Amino acid sequence: MSGDNNALTSNANAPNRRKSGRAVKKPDMIYPGFTTPLSSESKRKRAQFDEDPEEGDDASEGESEGGSEGEADEEELKEKKKRAPKAKRAPAKPVAKRPKTTNGVNTKQLALRPANSAPKKPRKQPTKARAKAGPAAAADSTGLYSEVFARGHSLEAAAAEWATQWDQHNTNAMRDLVNFVLKCTGCDLQIDVHDIEDPDNVTSKLTDLQDEYQALKATEYPLISKAKGNASFRGTLTGFFSSLISTFHASSVLYTDLALIENIQVWVTTMSSSAIRPFRHTATVICLAIVSELCRVVNEIADTKAKTLRQIQSEKKKSRINQGRVAAMQQKIEEGDKHQTIVEETMKDIFDTVFVHRYRDVDPKIRTECVQALGDWISTYPDTFFAGEYLRYLGWLLSDISAPTRQEVVKQLQRLFNNKENFGRLRTFTERFRPRLMEIATRDAEPNVRAASVELLDSIREAGMLEPDDIDVIGKLMFDSEPKVRKAVVGFFTENINDLYESKLEELGGEESLEEVLEHDDDEGFDRPRIAWIKLKCLAEVLLNYDSEDREELPSQVQRGHSAANDVLVASGVESRFSLAAQALYDRIPEVKHWEVLAGYLLFDHTAVEKDNETKTDDVEKMVQSACRLEEREEIILLEVLNTAVKLRLTQAVESELDKKGKKTKARKQESAEVQETAARHLAQLIPKLLDKFGAIPNAASAVLRLEHVLNLEIFQELRQDSNNYSSLLDEINKQFMTHADQNVLVEASAALLHAKGFEELEEITDGKVQVLWEDNINTLHALVQGKDVELRGNLSSNALTELSNSVRRISNLVSISDCAEILETVPTFAGKKSKDDSPPADPLSILLEIVKRGAPSEDLDDDVNTLEDELALSASKSALVYFMWKVYSLKSHITTGDEVADVDIDALKDRRSAFVDSLSHVLTTRSHNDDTTLAFAGTFLDLCALFATLRHAAPPKPTSQKARPSNDHVQILVQAVTPELQNTLTNIYSSAEKTYAKKSRRTLEALDDDEPLDSDVQSDAGDEDEDEEAGRERQNASLIAEKRLCELTGQIVRAIIARVLDASGPLKGKFKERLFRNRTRLGANFREVVAYLDEPKAKRATRTKAKGKKEAGLKEKSKDVVVVEDEDEEEVEDVVDAGEEGDEEDLRARELDGGVEEGVGEEAGEEQPEEIEEVEDDIMGD
């Protein structure tokens, strides 16, 4: 049986049912009397093949003799078998054809040519070009694997050569093909012809192979390998099987020899359900590629049938009909119907046996392969696959737990929606799965998936299948924090604006009529009504509408808390949601690019329009002005848009200086300079006007002040005549600084003044303006505190307390602009007079240090007064801390330049430092530990201690022979460590912050007996398990804020420990570090990263190499006790970390700092678990 050429061949006229290749019926001859001369070998083989156990005595005697003769000549058969392939090896020169006969008996003796040799209708299909470099294993391989991957043959030629081998000896050819598939899985094991001859034993044989392969513990296989040379593996593999199917179709073997495709199916489909991933994945890819090629084949058959039918109709219209030709074409159509039926049944069989099980495979890569293939099938052969029974699989996989799989589903759906002819057939599917698509667009964890889903929903909106509420929900994503999502929603958003814009134009009489009336030249100014104002009005309305609906969930600005301790939440310099939206819209809405028009629109006086609205008018210009009248919040939004447009325009001007090669050209530089100069001139005139109109509104004033940050002040340095404009600009900024108490306005004004000081030639003008601000604020401070005990909390009226708080807040912003040491140490001239109680005048710094003591709590005050008092005390402590920063900076400058520092100055600074420490200590020891203001004071105290510790590193220059090296050892007395009492206080404050975050985030801490009990307000923060969505969102926000404060305080503690001013000496040495390490693995990755700075520095590699043997011996003993209880004892974890090199990959993994550890956990990175896969492979992942 092993030498049988036709052991796997079935009759073309046999019924289309799946059956074993072993039982084959003798074909019925169309012409019974026709015989062909066959060699004795062929006779013996046919006699052997025709033996049928069921026929028994009916078998002819001649056939029996032939069979016995074949059995007696095995050696002869082997010798001829060895010689036969050599004679027919070269497919390029096939054996000469015999005359073609109608029964086609002799077709088996012809060499098969590649499928692409016959002329075909051009069709889109994957590139089947031979890869330049195959896998490295192919170089050492032989047989079909070498033919496909290593030799110079094209894939079509390799497929044709295998088909020829199948015709010559089908058993050996099928063995080679199965071994080829096994090799593609990374398995070097093989099967023999006996396994091919026994198809009923396929499952058990593959089970044995996978057991042997799994024993090798292979970590990867060619299909997913990233090794060099494997990049083209997948394309070559699928291309070969596609070429194979095309060759079968071109030679009609696909229809005349059903056993061929059946035997391929038996082996490959069985492998697709294997318990090990390499077999399952590779076989699935092959099956999917076969169906994809069959889709193209059946399309070609359908096209041929349609073309033939048109030819028949054309022939029948002739006066003299050629009946013979009509009959031949009719027979061709019937033959095409049979071929189409065979192909469709084959596709259905593979779909039911492979796809239905693998689309929910445990491996996300296999699920993604199925999605991609199904999308290809729907697009290639929609007659069958573009139906609800197949589209539903895409809908189900929208809930897959794997992000790449979900993204691939969205990609394939986008591919379908790109063709408008498919809208009708997709309506039912869209109605069913639209809610899931909306959920992905708004709430998916992966930005790429969300962005792709938004683009898909935009296509659905164009098809008219999206509800109005859904359109608004997607439009709000313009405020999303992810840039990819904002970029994806731009098209969706602009279409909404265009719809509103067109409706407004129709109400005003149409675009053409408006252009005739409102067409103006730029020379006439930008403050006259234009059509662009209508578009900008629509933009403001839509943004305001979305912001109003979304305000509770996502406020448009980072709001400042009631307490000044929440100043850390004021995101100065962080762009608002409107600015982020404008960045995405800049290139899509031309009206946003023309910022001069937008500025003219904002400066237009709409109050006159309100009066004209009372009387009806037919004036088109008046109607446009009325339609474009802006509300206050709309003006603020457009100011944000203006700010972004100016910034992007100037940024593009600078970037345009570079050509494609990255070099600056003279023409480009000149053009960029002209743009910047024009913008600077316009902005210098524009900013004062905008401040004059919008200065009373804090949010609007903040947006206008940000325009100064992008102003190129070098223009004023080059053009001296414009210094007056610059001076008036600074006057307006000073006015805003003195008239506003809003922290956002003060921050932006301070940043504008600091930006102005960056230009040396204008520094004199700027310093003069800043000096005026200092004088006004210092005078105000002395006037408010004169004759009052500023240390006592609650002794001021509400108005006086508010004015004092505003004045100190302005000072806290001024100290960051320039060196304030001399100003704060100098007693103002007017303060030389004694007060009514004969108290001596005080310098501003002393007043601020006394105000800090007002941070001590008082029980007899209401909440509003306590809030103002806390803000006042914190502003004063911030001002004092910045003052000491300037002093330390000055000391270090003197030391490094070799200047000697006077003892008097050191003693005065030491006294001021002691006074500040006393004030902070008094506040920390009297306030509750679980308090935001307490955390702020603790951070200020730790920063102060770490600040003076930097003086240790200040070294004078090397002495010369003429001049001795100055001694500045007395400066070191300023470096003082934290006392044990204050360290205990700081430990308690840290513990309270730690427990607060743990409660809000529902984390478990390692509690010890020495911990303080939780406050009642902390205990009450533990959320209920049955909380609703709104409560869950609030709890999440509170958890994020608590984590931020904990990490900030921990960072300040870590800096103090590293500076050796905390936890460095005394009875409490090392206790704080131990306390930080206690829960380092329980409070999240951010906290773990902060604490990681306290790890010991890595040793030198040479020393580490010498001691490697000793360390490994010690590690083995430690690991027996440590690794098992890794999550229970952080100190033991630390021992493991210290044993390795700090900062290397192993160290990061041990500290759980490497993000790749989580991705590698489970079935994706570990060894295969066949039993688990078999249990879950039928579960729909993500349902």
Side-chain angles (χ1 to χ4, degrees):
M1 179 87 52
S2 62
D4 190 354
N5 274 351
N6 302 304
L8 299 178
T9 306
S10 63
N11 187 7
N13 296 327
N16 294 328
R17 62 182 177 83
R18 188 180 185 120
K19 63 180 181 177
S20 172
R22 299 173 61 192
V24 181
K25 184 178 178 182
K26 180 179 180 181
D28 297 330
M29 307 300 291
I30 298 178
Y31 300 97
F34 180 81
T35 59
T36 56
L38 296 174
S39 64
S40 59
E41 178 187 4
S42 299
K43 291 181 180 179
R44 286 193 296 270
K45 291 179 181 178
R46 184 168 298 280
Q48 183 182 1
F49 172 76
D50 289 341
E51 287 182 1
D52 193 336
E54 297 181 1
E55 294 181 0
D57 298 336
D58 295 337
S60 64
E61 182 178 355
E63 291 173 345
S64 299
E65 292 176 357
S68 61
E69 183 181 358
E71 293 175 1
D73 295 336
E74 287 187 18
E75 295 182 1
E76 181 184 359
L77 289 175
K78 291 180 179 179
E79 291 295 327
K80 291 185 177 182
K81 226 174 14 172
K82 293 179 180 178
R83 294 191 299 267
K86 295 180 181 179
K88 301 181 180 180
R89 190 63 177 175
K93 295 182 179 181
V95 180
K97 297 183 180 180
R98 294 189 179 184
K100 185 175 181 180
T101 56
T102 55
N103 58 3
V105 175
N106 259 353
T107 56
K108 292 183 180 181
Q109 299 180 3
L110 302 179
L112 295 177
R113 291 175 173 80
N116 59 0
S117 61
K120 292 184 179 180
K121 180 180 179 180
R123 59 175 182 268
K124 184 180 180 181
Q125 51 184 306
T127 303
K128 298 181 181 180
R130 175 74 180 95
K132 294 182 179 180
D140 301 329
S141 302
T142 58
L144 184 57
Y145 193 84
S146 177
E147 293 287 341
V148 173
F149 289 103
R151 298 188 179 179
H153 295 168
S154 65
L155 297 179
E156 291 84 356
E161 184 174 351
W162 184 89
T164 303
Q165 293 176 359
W166 165 266
D167 178 66
Q168 294 172 355
H169 202 293
N170 45 36
T171 306
N172 289 347
M174 185 58 63
R175 176 202 61 196
D176 294 342
L177 185 64
V178 175
N179 287 334
F180 168 77
V181 176
L182 290 172
K183 184 69 175 176
C184 290
T185 65
C187 175
D188 293 329
L189 304 173
Q190 295 185 351
I191 64 170
D192 53 26
V193 292
H194 299 289
D195 299 317
I196 297 296
E197 293 168 355
D198 187 11
D200 295 333
N201 197 39
V202 171
T203 302
S204 60
K205 180 61 180 178
L206 288 176
T207 301
D208 296 339
L209 290 175
Q210 76 180 19
D211 291 341
E212 295 181 37
Y213 179 69
Q214 195 170 7
L216 301 176
K217 297 183 179 180
T219 57
E220 62 179 14
Y221 50 98
L223 205 57
I224 65 169
S225 176
K226 296 182 180 179
K228 183 178 181 181
N230 275 347
S232 60
F233 179 85
R234 173 191 168 85
T236 304
L237 176 63
T238 56
F240 170 72
F241 277 92
S242 297
S243 299
L244 208 58
I245 297 300
S246 296
T247 301
F248 296 159
H249 164 65
S251 61
S252 298
V253 176
L254 184 63
Y255 318 109
T256 59
D257 196 350
L258 300 181
L260 172 61
I261 194 67
E262 287 180 359
N263 279 275
I264 294 176
Q265 280 184 254
V266 167
W267 284 95
V268 181
T269 57
T270 305
M271 289 179 65
S272 69
S273 59
S274 173
I276 63 175
R277 189 173 306 168
F279 281 22
R280 193 170 69 251
H281 190 184
T282 307
T284 301
V285 169
I286 292 173
C287 290
L288 298 177
I290 289 174
V291 176
S292 297
E293 186 61 29
L294 289 175
C295 288
R296 287 184 279 272
V297 167
V298 75
N299 252 349
E300 183 178 337
I301 294 174
D303 292 343
T304 303
K305 286 169 51 182
K307 182 178 179 180
T308 306
L309 184 60
R310 290 194 297 269
Q311 291 176 348
I312 291 177
Q313 295 174 351
S314 177
E315 184 66 29
K316 289 182 177 180
K317 292 179 180 180
K318 295 181 180 179
S319 58
R320 299 179 60 181
I321 302 175
N322 188 339
Q323 296 296 338
R325 185 184 178 192
V326 171
M329 288 188 292
Q330 189 65 41
Q331 184 180 1
K332 186 176 180 181
I333 291 177
E334 295 174 357
E335 182 181 1
D337 290 336
K338 294 179 181 179
H339 293 177
Q340 185 172 353
T341 301
I342 293 173
V343 174
E344 289 178 346
E345 289 179 353
T346 303
M347 291 191 300
K348 183 68 166 58
D349 189 20
I350 297 177
F351 184 90
D352 294 338
T353 56
V354 178
F355 182 91
V356 170
H357 299 286
R358 298 282 68 79
Y359 88 95
R360 50 187 180 181
D361 193 276
V362 70
D363 185 2
K365 293 185 179 66
I366 298 179
R367 301 198 299 270
T368 305
E369 300 275 7
C370 292
V371 173
Q372 186 176 3
L374 181 57
D376 186 39
W377 301 344
I378 295 174
S379 300
T380 305
Y381 191 47
D383 293 345
T384 295
F385 289 103
F386 207 149
E389 60 180 310
Y390 297 102
L391 287 172
R392 60 181 180 175
Y393 292 103
L394 295 178
W396 292 339
L397 286 169
L398 286 171
S399 300
D400 196 280
I401 62 174
S402 171
T405 304
R406 295 195 302 272
Q407 186 171 5
E408 185 63 33
V409 176
V410 175
K411 176 182 176 181
Q412 296 302 326
L413 290 174
Q414 181 68 63
R415 182 180 174 185
L416 298 178
F417 273 98
N418 286 340
N419 187 355
K420 295 183 179 181
E421 297 179 358
N422 296 335
F423 287 169
R425 305 171 74 172
L426 288 168
R427 187 170 297 277
T428 303
F429 171 86
T430 304
E431 292 176 356
R432 180 178 179 183
F433 293 102
R434 185 179 63 245
R436 175 57 186 155
L437 289 172
M438 292 292 301
E439 185 179 10
I440 292 176
T442 55
R443 304 180 61 180
D444 198 277
E446 292 296 326
N448 292 333
V449 181
R450 294 180 60 200
S453 182
V454 168
E455 294 177 356
L456 174 60
L457 288 170
D458 191 17
S459 299
I460 295 176
R461 183 193 59 80
E462 293 179 0
M465 303 181 195
L466 209 58
E467 299 295 332
D469 292 341
D470 296 337
I471 294 176
D472 292 337
V473 170
I474 299 301
K476 293 177 186 177
L477 295 179
M478 202 68 232
F479 300 139
D480 196 86
S481 60
E482 290 292 340
K484 292 181 180 179
V485 178
R486 294 199 302 270
K487 184 177 180 180
V489 82
V490 164
F492 195 102
F493 186 84
T494 53
E495 288 299 325
N496 294 343
I497 295 178
N498 290 334
D499 294 341
L500 180 60
Y501 173 67
E502 292 175 0
S503 64
K504 285 184 175 293
L505 287 180
E506 293 179 1
E507 294 176 359
L508 295 173
E511 184 174 4
E512 295 181 358
S513 61
L514 291 176
E515 287 180 350
E516 296 178 358
V517 178
L518 302 178
E519 191 67 28
H520 303 296
D521 296 330
D522 293 343
D523 297 337
E524 300 178 11
F526 297 100
D527 55 350
R528 297 188 60 183
R530 299 166 180 261
I531 295 182
W533 288 13
I534 303 175
K535 176 68 74 66
L536 294 172
K537 170 66 175 177
C538 296
L539 174 62
E541 286 183 356
V542 174
L543 289 175
L544 177 60
N545 182 36
Y546 288 161
D547 179 66
S548 300
E549 296 175 359
D550 203 31
R551 179 170 293 275
E552 295 182 359
E553 298 179 3
L554 184 62
S556 61
Q557 300 284 350
V558 180
Q559 299 295 332
R560 183 173 180 271
H562 295 293
S563 172
N566 295 331
D567 280 356
V568 293
L569 300 180
V570 177
S572 60
V574 177
E575 295 172 309
S576 70
R577 64 195 317 196
F578 302 116
S579 297
L580 296 176
Q583 290 178 11
L585 296 170
Y586 182 77
D587 292 325
R588 297 295 296 269
I589 301 181
E591 290 78 5
V592 175
K593 278 189 173 184
H594 300 156
W595 61 270
E596 295 91 347
V597 176
L598 175 56
Y601 181 33
L602 287 168
L603 289 173
F604 184 78
D605 186 9
H606 295 280
T607 56
V609 179
E610 295 178 2
K611 298 178 181 179
D612 294 339
N613 287 338
E614 300 176 359
T615 59
K616 294 183 179 180
T617 178
D618 295 332
D619 189 353
V620 176
E621 187 169 346
K622 296 293 184 182
M623 294 173 59
V624 173
Q625 293 177 5
S626 177
C628 295
R629 184 168 56 88
L630 293 171
E631 300 178 1
E632 179 179 316
R633 292 184 60 192
E634 291 176 347
E635 290 175 335
I636 297 175
I637 291 173
L638 290 183
L639 282 172
E640 297 282 357
V641 175
L642 173 64
N643 210 309
T644 302
V646 173
K647 185 185 300 182
L648 291 177
R649 181 68 185 96
L650 294 178
T651 302
Q652 290 181 355
V654 174
E655 293 176 350
S656 64
E657 295 180 3
L658 301 177
D659 57 11
K660 296 181 179 179
K661 297 181 179 180
K663 298 180 179 180
K664 292 185 178 182
T665 61
K666 184 176 181 180
R668 288 176 177 269
K669 289 176 64 177
Q670 184 177 359
E671 182 181 356
S672 174
E674 291 178 358
V675 172
Q676 295 182 57
E677 179 181 345
T678 303
R681 289 177 177 274
H682 288 176
L683 286 175
Q685 299 175 0
L686 180 65
I687 293 175
K689 295 179 181 179
L690 290 173
L691 288 175
D692 184 58
K693 181 177 181 181
F694 300 105
I697 307 172
N699 289 338
S702 300
V704 177
L705 287 172
R706 280 198 293 274
L707 287 173
E708 196 275 343
H709 302 173
V710 298
L711 183 61
N712 186 3
L713 298 180
E714 292 181 354
I715 303 299
F716 295 99
Q717 293 180 234
E718 298 172 359
L719 305 175
R720 300 284 183 175
Q721 64 272 21
D722 288 339
S723 58
N724 292 332
N725 292 337
Y726 175 67
S727 180
S728 62
L729 174 61
L730 292 180
D731 289 338
E732 289 294 333
I733 295 175
N734 283 10
K735 179 180 177 182
Q736 296 298 317
F737 190 91
M738 292 302 299
T739 56
H740 280 283
D742 184 84
Q743 180 66 12
N744 290 326
V745 178
L746 295 178
V747 168
E748 299 299 343
S750 301
L753 293 173
L754 193 60
H755 173 254
K757 281 181 64 64
F759 297 87
E760 296 181 359
E761 296 187 11
L762 301 175
E763 187 175 3
E764 183 178 352
I765 300 177
T766 307
D767 288 340
K769 302 298 181 182
V770 174
Q771 185 64 31
V772 172
L773 290 177
W774 270 115
E775 293 176 359
D776 292 344
N777 282 279
I778 294 299
N779 293 338
T780 303
L781 175 64
H782 277 276
L784 291 172
V785 302
Q786 187 174 11
K788 299 181 177 63
D789 186 3
V790 293
E791 297 182 8
L792 183 61
R793 185 183 180 104
N795 64 340
L796 298 176
S797 63
S798 178
N799 291 335
L801 182 62
T802 301
E803 292 180 7
L804 181 59
S805 178
N806 294 339
S807 178
V808 175
R809 186 182 299 118
R810 294 189 187 99
I811 292 176
S812 68
N813 285 275
L814 273 177
V815 293
S816 62
I817 298 176
S818 60
D819 190 349
C820 59
E822 183 179 354
I823 298 175
L824 294 180
E825 294 172 356
T826 304
V827 179
T829 304
F830 83 96
K833 300 179 181 180
K834 294 185 178 180
S835 59
K836 296 179 181 179
D837 56 356
D838 294 333
S839 59
D843 57 81
L845 179 62
S846 300
I847 297 174
L848 293 175
L849 294 180
E850 292 177 355
I851 292 176
V852 172
K853 297 180 180 179
R854 300 178 72 96
S858 179
E859 298 179 355
D860 55 349
L861 300 177
D862 57 22
D863 293 339
D864 293 338
V865 175
N866 277 325
T867 300
L868 286 174
E869 291 283 4
D870 289 342
E871 289 181 354
L872 173 60
L874 278 174
S875 297
S877 67
K878 177 184 175 183
S879 303
L881 178 62
V882 177
Y883 160 80
F884 285 108
M885 289 180 180
W886 284 111
K887 292 297 291 185
V888 170
Y889 175 78
S890 177
L891 279 175
K892 293 171 69 175
S893 299
H894 281 80
I895 294 173
T896 54
T897 56
D899 297 335
E900 188 173 357
V901 182
D903 294 340
V904 177
D905 296 335
I906 298 297
D907 293 338
L909 182 59
K910 181 182 176 182
D911 293 339
R912 295 188 184 99
R913 178 192 183 280
S914 299
F916 191 27
V917 170
D918 293 341
S919 299
L920 292 174
S921 302
H922 175 66
V923 174
L924 292 176
T925 54
T926 56
R927 294 188 66 93
S928 171
H929 297 155
N930 182 40
D931 183 74
D932 295 338
T933 306
T934 305
L935 294 179
F937 278 118
T940 301
F941 174 73
L942 290 167
D943 288 342
L944 179 68
C945 296
L947 171 65
F948 280 94
T950 59
L951 292 173
R952 291 196 186 108
H953 307 288
K958 295 181 180 180
T960 62
S961 57
Q962 293 81 7
K963 186 177 181 181
R965 181 173 182 174
S967 176
N968 290 302
D969 296 338
H970 58 295
V971 176
Q972 300 302 323
I973 64 174
L974 295 172
V975 182
Q976 297 182 3
V978 179
T979 62
E981 294 77 11
L982 277 176
Q983 181 168 335
N984 287 330
T985 301
L986 292 172
T987 303
N988 294 332
I989 294 172
Y990 166 79
S991 297
S992 297
E994 183 184 58
K995 293 172 184 177
T996 300
Y997 170 56
K999 282 293 182 181
K1000 293 183 182 299
S1001 61
R1002 299 179 180 178
R1003 295 178 181 269
T1004 303
L1005 299 178
E1006 181 181 349
L1008 297 179
D1009 296 336
D1010 58 349
D1011 285 345
E1012 283 189 339
L1014 288 178
D1015 295 338
S1016 58
D1017 54 346
V1018 177
Q1019 293 177 348
S1020 63
D1021 286 339
D1024 299 331
E1025 295 296 333
D1026 299 332
E1027 62 185 3
D1028 56 9
E1029 183 178 356
E1030 183 66 24
R1033 188 184 302 110
E1034 292 179 358
R1035 183 183 62 82
Q1036 183 181 13
N1037 293 338
S1039 174
L1040 291 174
I1041 294 174
E1043 181 184 20
K1044 179 178 182 293
R1045 289 171 179 163
L1046 173 63
C1047 290
E1048 286 179 345
L1049 177 62
T1050 306
Q1052 291 165 327
I1053 293 172
V1054 168
R1055 283 201 301 268
I1057 294 176
I1058 294 175
R1060 292 178 288 133
V1061 294
L1062 177 66
D1063 205 38
S1065 60
L1068 299 180
K1069 180 180 179 180
K1071 295 295 183 180
F1072 218 135
K1073 180 178 179 180
E1074 180 181 349
R1075 181 65 182 84
L1076 294 176
F1077 280 177
R1078 181 191 300 176
N1079 294 298
R1080 66 183 296 182
T1081 61
R1082 289 178 168 87
L1083 293 174
N1086 293 327
F1087 178 82
R1088 189 165 59 243
E1089 288 282 0
V1090 174
V1091 177
Y1093 282 92
L1094 292 177
D1095 290 334
E1096 297 294 334
K1098 61 182 179 180
K1100 295 181 179 180
R1101 187 169 300 274
T1103 307
R1104 180 174 174 267
T1105 303
K1106 294 179 181 179
K1108 183 177 180 182
K1110 296 181 180 180
K1111 288 186 178 181
E1112 288 181 350
L1115 267 180
K1116 290 181 180 178
E1117 296 179 0
K1118 287 184 180 181
S1119 61
K1120 295 179 181 178
D1121 300 325
V1122 174
V1123 176
V1124 178
V1125 293
E1126 181 178 359
D1127 294 334
E1128 298 179 2
D1129 195 339
E1130 284 72 24
E1131 295 179 5
E1132 293 181 347
V1133 175
E1134 181 189 354
D1135 293 337
V1136 177
V1137 174
D1138 292 341
E1141 179 182 357
E1142 285 292 326
D1144 58 10
E1145 187 178 33
E1146 291 77 15
D1147 180 24
L1148 290 176
R1149 292 181 184 277
R1151 295 185 345 220
E1152 297 180 0
L1153 299 181
D1154 189 357
V1157 175
E1158 295 184 359
E1159 298 177 0
V1161 174
E1163 54 92 18
E1164 282 298 322
E1167 294 181 5
E1168 297 292 338
Q1169 302 293 336
E1171 294 80 11
E1172 295 180 5
I1173 292 178
E1174 289 179 356
E1175 291 176 2
V1176 301
E1177 69 176 353
D1178 288 339
D1179 294 335
I1180 299 178
M1181 308 302 293
D1183 281 1

